Amino acid sequence: MNSNDRRLPAGGRIDRMRPIGFSFDGRTLNGYQGDTLASALLANGITLTGRSFKYHRPRGTFSAGPEEPNALVTLGTGGRREPNLPATALELAQGMIAESQNRWPSLGFDLQSVNGLFAPFLSAGFYYKTFMGPTRRAWMFYEHFIRRAAGLGRAGTERDPDRYEVRHAFADVAIVGGGPAGLSAARAAAYAGSDVALIEQDFLLGGQLLSERSDGEAAAWLKAIETELAGLPNVTVRRRTMAFGIYDGNTLALIERNDDPVVQGAARQVFIMLRARAVIFAAGAIERPLVFSNNDRPGVMLTSAARTYFNRFAVLPGENILVATTNDGAYRAAIDLAAAGARVTIADQRSILPAGLAEEARRLNIAIRSGTQIADLRGGHAVKAAKFAGPGGNSEIACDLVCVSGGWSPTVHLTSHLGVRPVYRDDMDGFVPGGLPAGHFGAGSMMGRFSTADAIDSGHRAGIEATAFCGKSAAAPAPARLDLGEAATDAFRAIPSIVRGKAFVDFQMDVTTKDIELAHREGYESVEHLKRYTTLGMGTEQGKTSNFAALSAMAALRQETIPQTGTTTFRPPYAPVAIGALAGRSVGRHFKPIRRTPMHDWHVANGADMLEVGLWMRPYFYRVAGRDVNEAYVAEMRMVRGAAGLMDISTLGKIDVQGPDAAIFLDRVYANGFAKLPVGRARYGVMLRDDGIVFDDGTTTRLSENRFFMTTSTAKAADVLSRLEFLLDTAWPELRVAVTSVSDEWATMSVAGPKSRDVLAAAFPGLDVSNEALPHMGFIETEFAGRALRIIRLSYSGERAYEIYVGATAGEKVWRHLLEVGAAFGLRPYGVEALGALRVEKGHVAGPEIDGRTTLDDLGLGRMAAKRTGFVGDVLRRRPAFQAPNRQRLVGLECAEEGKRLRGGAILFIPGDTVAGHGRGRITSVTFSPELGRYVGLALLAADVAAEGSEVFATYPMKAETVRARIVSPVFLDPKGERLHG
Amino acid sequence: MLRIECPCCGLRDHDEFRYGGDASITRPGHDDPDPEAWYRYVYVRKNPPGPHREFWQHVTGCRQWLVVERDTRDHAIASVGFARKTRA
């Protein structure tokens, strides 16, 4: 079961006393504490880890970090299933369940690898050229099959059982990268007096130092500085934390992983917004692959990765190793691997070899071929042999591992997120961050300082400079020296060599040199077009390994230099981010706050079906009235029209308006006048926006000379208050008025129906509620059980009705009291569906009509403001366009066909119209009217075809329905308002 | 990622604020009958790259309307003050 036959008997940063069991594609395997999933797979001799995106070619582990293009796995099962994770960046954990991706039926035998045989048809732009444009219908048909064949892992469909968090953190100096430069920077900044946050994606600090021998001087240096940092109280080290973006205000976006398995009680991932006064980028560099035929075979690996697997994880990834390079760095890997007993050959594209390293290599029996490059590889599921091109002529050697190194590319992603474009440097043939803005500093290889000694030195200086930027300057003693003798920079541009078959530039997206040639031939030669045409760099690793090879290929085709060709824009995120982490706890019921009225518990306990209305929970209908909403709302309507109903309207916005200029203020914010409203009376009011469109409606009651009580619609409560505050703070500061939200202070309920006055009289026996004392639009204030009680006689339903306001905590008490004494009169509660239906019958406009596009005239309310000026929106409501003869205006519609119904959203046409497009108008609100025995509705209809009595067609394409409707007055019921008065 | 130094409540995350548009334009008098003036006030904006005076309201804080000078290129905030200069 546990072979680990590629594992070395000693060395590495793994704990052989702590074996870890895991599974890969159903096979049970063992690794050790300290392994990544990739290193454990390699230790077990598993070199085939995935199938490629388009061609389903076999692929193996290519890197040892988050830049991995090939070894992507799906982790976990059920709701914890997470696809497309690089095995190379996953810390091995007990019980880990990993699956390879994009293969069927199995990794070793994949039926869709025949895609490779049709490769000529799958080149860049193929899908679009073939299926889009004139043959677009074909795409509709083929899309399903294509998406199945090409792709990566699939996400789980079950609910994720784990918890995620969003946190804020702060630091003087944030340092991205815990390699030698970052460690040195953290140390210096901490000594100099900064609060330091050191961010490292790996579960160990050290960066490239972890790829050095685990018992050498690099390891000793690392251990010493880790101890030193642990002793500095102003340093916070965040391991397993990926800085995926930097945003304005020096805000770093971090993801901290505690998963696989989730630590008991901890959040699986934490999204941290880290705000720092200064940021030091020490993100290192990523090795470049080489381009040659079949360079994607399993067994091809970045040279630095092979060295990491050997030194850090004690895995010998091959026994017969070919190292193909353009630079000195690869020699160090070759020497390490040869010293462990592997047979090693170096193929160096350069003809002048580094004398010292070459000599050291030869002492270990490493054969070196200068001026030689790989032309082709043999082997299907594992590399078997390499063919060379070069002055030595064509020859072939057997090998089981090919290490490639085309030089190094600084990790310029993060510094580019704020728009700082990378700049090309000749001496290293690569891009480094451009001019960093104030407060941003760089160190180590991402700034082109590739040697360890230089990285430590530049980190130290960045730490001091960043701290000085924060205004602190305590002395920071120089760090311990570590010189590993690397060359400063290399600038030999790798030469591609293609003799037969595909040579991949972007492994993950299956982009080959031929695709780049095709893009160039077809005119997609700007790098941004190249990217989109070929999908280059658009995989989960965003082209971390492919970018430079692609740029050099395009530059060569355009016969330009690389800086002339330019580079694509890097955008966040640097690495894939789980949406769950960004959401944190804002999921399910916590996605948004829930607002409950004071009577909420009563509704729930008494059979109400609750409905979400914005943030509010409101009773939709009550089960006592019917089995479903359609049955119940009609019964509830009959109850209100026939006896009395009680409705919870606590959700209305309520604003207390006070001050000597309160009446003037209301006169300006409402389209209709309020200055002359007598004390103790209420008035319906409509507010406009500055552009002349209706904003909101409600009622305002004059409590005393200088005090008003305003209500707004439920939906616009917050907007109206904010707007009133805006006008008082910015436009009319001279008005002595204060506005205060009292929405949550008052529980509110409405008693409506012919028996409503009887209910009131019985409920409040000491109170005169006669028509004389409390007429329509009248107001009285009293007390109930020691609490203030306001009654305003207002109607929304068209029946005689009273709004009752009481302190929120007494809401349920008054509600119960009313139902108790009201039972004798037939009083029962009703829900929002009946409420909406009642107002449609009465022709009152609401949200569906006040939709941000309609004017007073459109809604038939123009007369309210006919003789007024000087209020908000007055001037622009008079625009000529609003007076157009075909302007859509409010009308009533009656269903003219027996047994059929109207539907909200139906499009209106007149006889003779072609039924297409937006029609002449639309139905906004619909209800079945028990009074009229048919469906009625409100509609917005072009005024030039809206004569009462004529007919329209209402078409509802979703259900392929068309029904005839008759245009009538929008007030279907009691047009004279006799039910309200008296 | 913005933070705004509310003169009443201190440095607060922008989640607590509501944006209120360009503060450099002058609102016509409430009884100004000129459609052109209202058209300019409602619709005409400069949208400059650089410093921009704009209204923000501290809705989940003191509810004051503020005038914030923000650089539209990098969100750097140069100044924050109350929109209401005088108390009535």
Side-chain angles (χ1 to χ4, degrees):
Chain A
M1 185 176 86
N2 176 21
S3 65
N4 270 271
D5 54 2
R6 293 271 180 166
R7 190 80 75 173
L8 300 165
R13 293 172 182 275
I14 50 163
D15 186 348
R16 288 178 175 73
M17 302 303 288
R18 295 171 69 188
I20 287 177
F22 69 102
S23 85
F24 178 70
D25 281 349
R27 280 176 68 188
T28 306
L29 299 163
N30 270 351
Y32 294 108
Q33 182 75 34
D35 261 326
T36 61
L37 175 61
S39 69
L41 289 173
L42 285 171
N44 283 286
I46 295 173
T47 52
L48 176 61
T49 51
R51 287 277 172 173
S52 76
F53 183 70
K54 226 159 54 173
Y55 304 124
H56 290 249
R57 283 167 71 106
R59 293 281 169 80
T61 301
F62 189 70
S63 75
E67 67 270 32
E68 177 62 32
N70 291 342
L72 301 181
V73 297
T74 298
L75 216 56
T77 55
R80 292 198 166 89
R81 187 181 164 90
E82 192 178 356
N84 306 334
L85 298 169
T88 49
L90 288 174
E91 183 176 1
L92 193 68
Q94 184 62 42
M96 185 180 256
I97 299 167
E99 275 177 35
S100 61
Q101 301 183 159
N102 204 29
R103 81 288 190 267
W104 190 81
S106 77
L107 194 51
F109 176 73
D110 179 67
L111 280 178
Q112 291 177 325
S113 61
V114 294
N115 275 8
L117 302 177
F118 297 108
F121 304 111
L122 294 174
S123 57
F126 161 75
Y127 296 148
Y128 290 96
K129 275 185 268 188
T130 309
F131 297 115
M132 296 295 194
T135 54
R136 212 184 146 131
R137 274 161 198 276
W139 172 253
M140 311 290 269
F141 177 74
Y142 286 111
E143 183 181 8
H144 170 73
F145 300 99
I146 289 169
R147 293 220 189 273
R148 250 190 77 149
L152 297 169
R154 286 195 306 279
T157 52
E158 289 169 41
R159 187 186 167 85
D160 188 336
D162 292 323
R163 187 163 61 83
Y164 298 81
E165 292 277 3
V166 177
R167 286 188 195 142
H168 292 262
F170 303 88
D172 291 330
V173 178
I175 298 158
V176 181
L183 289 164
S184 169
R187 182 188 166 280
Y191 277 122
S194 288
D195 279 329
V196 175
L198 178 62
I199 299 141
E200 171 54 52
Q201 77 206 5
D202 203 334
F203 52 92
L204 294 180
L205 290 175
Q208 281 301 315
L209 296 181
L210 298 172
S211 304
E212 300 290 332
R213 292 180 58 88
S214 59
D215 56 359
E217 53 177 334
W221 187 91
L222 178 57
K223 193 170 180 184
I225 198 164
E226 279 195 82
T227 310
E228 201 176 1
L229 290 177
L232 292 167
N234 50 340
V235 177
T236 306
V237 176
R238 294 186 183 274
R239 294 182 187 82
R240 300 179 177 86
T241 303
M242 170 75 75
F244 70 80
I246 182 162
Y247 300 88
D248 294 307
N250 278 359
T251 308
L252 282 160
L254 316 176
I255 294 287
E256 179 187 274
R257 296 187 72 121
N258 301 311
D259 45 351
D260 315 318
V262 177
V263 182
Q264 198 63 39
R268 178 172 172 182
Q269 293 184 22
V270 184
F271 169 42
I272 303 167
M273 276 170 279
L274 172 64
R275 291 188 162 95
R277 294 162 75 186
V279 182
I280 299 172
F281 298 95
I286 293 170
E287 198 167 27
R288 299 172 189 160
L290 292 171
V291 179
F292 50 84
S293 300
N294 298 305
N295 58 343
D296 63 327
R297 293 294 182 216
V300 178
M301 185 182 283
L302 291 172
T303 306
S304 59
R307 190 161 183 243
T308 305
Y309 287 118
F310 176 70
N311 280 324
R312 177 173 173 182
F313 299 107
V315 174
L316 193 58
E319 281 158 0
N320 196 2
I321 302 171
L322 172 62
V323 176
T325 184
T326 63
N327 58 79
D328 295 0
Y331 282 73
R332 303 173 63 78
I335 288 164
D336 284 349
L337 293 165
R343 224 176 78 190
V344 180
T345 304
I346 294 177
D348 195 330
Q349 292 199 3
R350 302 171 298 180
S351 36
I352 299 164
L353 300 179
L357 283 171
E359 197 181 314
E360 197 182 338
R362 287 193 178 107
R363 272 204 301 274
L364 288 164
N365 291 325
I366 297 173
I368 305 177
R369 297 171 177 230
S370 63
T372 302
Q373 66 205 69
I374 302 175
D376 191 10
L377 290 185
R378 276 205 298 115
H381 288 182
V383 61
K384 289 195 176 77
K387 284 184 184 162
F388 292 117
N394 295 339
S395 57
E396 184 176 311
I397 65 163
C399 52
D400 61 0
L401 178 72
V402 175
C403 299
V404 293
S405 178
W408 290 79
S409 287
T411 311
V412 297
H413 302 67
L414 224 48
T415 54
S416 307
H417 287 177
L418 286 177
V420 178
R421 290 196 83 89
V423 293
Y424 179 80
R425 246 175 63 183
D426 236 0
D427 62 330
M428 49 173 279
D429 190 34
F431 287 92
V432 294
L436 293 172
H440 288 191
F441 304 86
S445 49
M446 80 169 284
M447 302 304 287
R449 298 178 177 280
F450 287 104
S451 80
T452 305
D454 211 2
I456 293 170
D457 184 50
S458 63
H460 184 73
R461 270 184 284 118
I464 291 171
E465 284 169 24
T467 304
F469 182 82
C470 300
K472 295 170 187 172
S473 58
R481 282 189 56 77
L482 176 66
D483 193 341
L484 300 176
E486 306 100 325
T489 52
D490 286 298
F492 185 89
R493 172 93 48 95
I495 303 157
S497 174
I498 299 120
V499 291
R500 169 188 78 89
K502 293 186 181 57
F504 287 87
V505 175
D506 185 323
F507 296 95
Q508 191 177 108
M509 297 307 290
D510 268 351
V511 178
T512 67
T513 48
K514 280 189 180 149
D515 292 322
I516 296 177
E517 286 162 21
L518 182 69
H520 176 256
R521 208 158 57 232
E522 298 192 346
Y524 297 95
E525 53 177 32
S526 115
V527 286
E528 298 288 358
H529 290 158
L530 170 67
K531 172 180 169 173
R532 284 153 183 85
Y533 195 58
T534 62
T535 69
L536 183 100
M538 289 168 78
T540 59
E541 48 41 299
Q542 294 276 292
K544 289 184 176 60
T545 54
S546 62
N547 191 270
F548 198 82
L551 295 183
S552 4
M554 184 50 85
L557 290 166
R558 289 172 59 168
Q559 299 179 314
E560 285 178 346
T561 63
I562 283 193
Q564 280 170 327
T565 303
T567 178
T568 51
T569 312
F570 298 97
R571 293 187 182 85
Y574 173 72
V577 174
I579 289 183
L582 300 181
R585 293 202 187 197
S586 302
V587 292
R589 297 283 296 275
H590 297 288
F591 178 67
K592 56 185 184 182
I594 293 172
R595 300 182 77 180
R596 299 183 180 90
T597 72
M599 287 80 92
H600 178 87
D601 293 347
W602 190 95
H603 302 316
V604 173
N606 287 276
D609 261 42
M610 302 303 285
L611 182 70
E612 279 182 50
V613 183
L615 301 180
W616 286 102
M617 296 302 293
R618 302 192 69 179
Y620 187 27
F621 66 94
Y622 293 85
R623 290 273 162 185
V624 289
R627 285 165 302 182
D628 63 13
V629 62
N630 289 320
E631 199 176 283
Y633 91 84
V634 175
E636 289 176 2
M637 284 175 84
R638 288 203 171 100
M639 172 184 77
V640 174
R641 299 259 184 253
L646 185 64
M647 173 82 204
D648 181 354
I649 53 170
S650 303
T651 59
L652 290 181
K654 304 169 206 81
I655 300 170
D656 186 276
V657 183
Q658 291 191 50
D661 297 321
I664 299 173
F665 176 62
L666 292 175
D667 244 16
R668 292 190 194 172
V669 297
Y670 275 122
N672 49 326
F674 275 77
K676 290 176 188 154
L677 180 67
V679 171
R681 300 288 291 190
R683 183 168 287 170
Y684 174 73
V686 179
M687 292 182 194
L688 307 187
R689 309 189 309 210
D690 287 326
D691 63 0
I693 297 289
V694 174
F695 177 31
D696 194 39
D697 65 347
T699 54
T700 288
T701 307
R702 193 165 203 165
L703 304 179
S704 66
E705 185 60 25
N706 294 333
R707 188 169 180 198
F708 293 80
F709 179 68
M710 174 187 284
T711 65
T712 74
S713 68
T714 298
K716 292 281 171 58
D719 290 343
V720 169
L721 179 68
S722 180
R723 195 67 194 161
L724 298 182
E725 288 165 330
F726 177 81
L727 292 168
L728 287 170
D729 270 359
T730 69
W732 313 318
E734 73 283 1
L735 292 185
R736 295 162 298 168
V737 179
V739 290
T740 310
S741 168
V742 291
S743 295
D744 294 343
E745 277 69 14
W746 294 98
T748 312
M749 56 210 89
S750 163
V751 187
K755 302 277 191 197
S756 57
R757 182 154 55 216
D758 301 335
V759 173
L760 232 60
F764 309 110
L767 203 63
D768 183 1
V769 292
S770 66
N771 197 39
E772 292 67 38
L774 186 56
H776 185 56
M777 292 293 183
F779 160 77
I780 50 175
E781 193 153 26
T782 180
E783 274 191 5
F784 178 77
R787 302 292 298 267
L789 187 91
R790 290 175 179 174
I791 302 175
I792 309 173
R793 186 169 161 190
L794 290 169
S795 179
Y796 191 56
S797 56
E799 301 301 325
R800 179 191 301 138
Y802 302 86
E803 291 185 354
I804 299 167
Y805 295 79
V806 67
T809 51
E812 192 179 324
K813 192 173 183 178
V814 173
W815 177 270
R816 284 174 181 276
H817 176 66
L818 285 167
L819 285 173
E820 237 171 74
V821 302
F825 305 98
L827 180 79
R828 283 210 310 269
Y830 64 103
V832 288
E833 187 65 18
L835 177 80
L838 290 163
R839 71 95 190 165
V840 172
E841 265 190 335
K842 183 63 185 169
H844 277 313
V845 292
E849 291 79 35
I850 303 178
D851 65 351
R853 290 177 287 184
T854 45
T855 65
L856 279 176
D857 288 329
D858 296 343
L859 300 177
L861 301 172
R863 67 188 182 284
M864 288 176 72
K867 292 174 186 158
R868 298 191 74 238
T869 57
F871 56 90
V872 171
D874 176 43
V875 175
L876 292 186
R877 83 187 171 100
R878 300 167 195 267
R879 280 185 261 182
F882 287 168
Q883 320 302 332
N886 63 346
R887 181 85 192 160
Q888 292 182 6
R889 312 275 197 197
L890 185 76
V891 296
L893 290 182
E894 269 182 359
C895 189
E897 289 183 63
E898 231 18 78
K900 290 197 173 178
R901 59 163 301 175
L902 302 178
R903 289 185 191 276
I907 305 169
L908 302 176
F909 297 92
I910 58 167
D913 276 355
T914 306
V915 178
H918 295 284
R920 309 272 185 162
R922 66 188 197 285
I923 300 182
T924 52
S925 302
V926 157
T927 183
F928 177 78
S929 167
E931 294 275 317
L932 303 175
R934 61 164 69 91
Y935 276 91
V936 298
L938 301 178
L940 291 164
L941 179 64
D944 54 354
V945 297
E948 274 185 30
S950 50
E951 279 199 354
V952 291
F953 291 97
T955 72
Y956 195 77
M958 301 292 288
K959 290 189 184 287
E961 283 180 4
T962 297
V963 61
R964 284 187 293 116
R966 193 163 35 251
I967 300 168
V968 295
S969 154
V971 184
F972 297 94
L973 184 101
D974 186 25
K976 290 184 183 149
E978 285 157 353
R979 297 183 189 211
L980 302 176
H981 301 275
Chain B
M1 300 302 146
L2 278 174
R3 281 185 298 171
I4 296 174
E5 178 94 43
C6 173
C8 180
C9 309
L11 190 60
R12 312 297 301 178
D13 192 272
H14 82 285
D15 279 0
E16 298 184 3
F17 296 83
R18 165 198 281 252
Y19 182 67
D22 194 340
S24 66
I25 43 171
T26 311
R27 184 184 176 88
H30 76 96
D31 52 359
D32 186 333
D34 179 13
E36 188 61 28
W38 283 100
Y39 160 73
R40 280 197 307 272
Y41 171 71
V42 172
Y43 294 108
V44 181
R45 296 291 182 276
K46 283 216 180 72
N47 192 23
H52 189 235
R53 274 164 50 81
E54 53 201 24
F55 290 120
W56 290 79
Q57 185 186 20
H58 196 186
V59 276
T60 59
C62 57
R63 294 203 65 89
Q64 296 301 304
W65 278 95
L66 310 173
V67 174
V68 175
E69 195 178 346
R70 178 182 65 101
D71 193 310
T72 57
R73 292 164 304 187
D74 61 5
H75 296 313
I77 291 175
S79 69
V80 185
F82 289 120
R84 183 191 273 266
K85 293 284 177 271
T86 55
R87 292 275 135 195

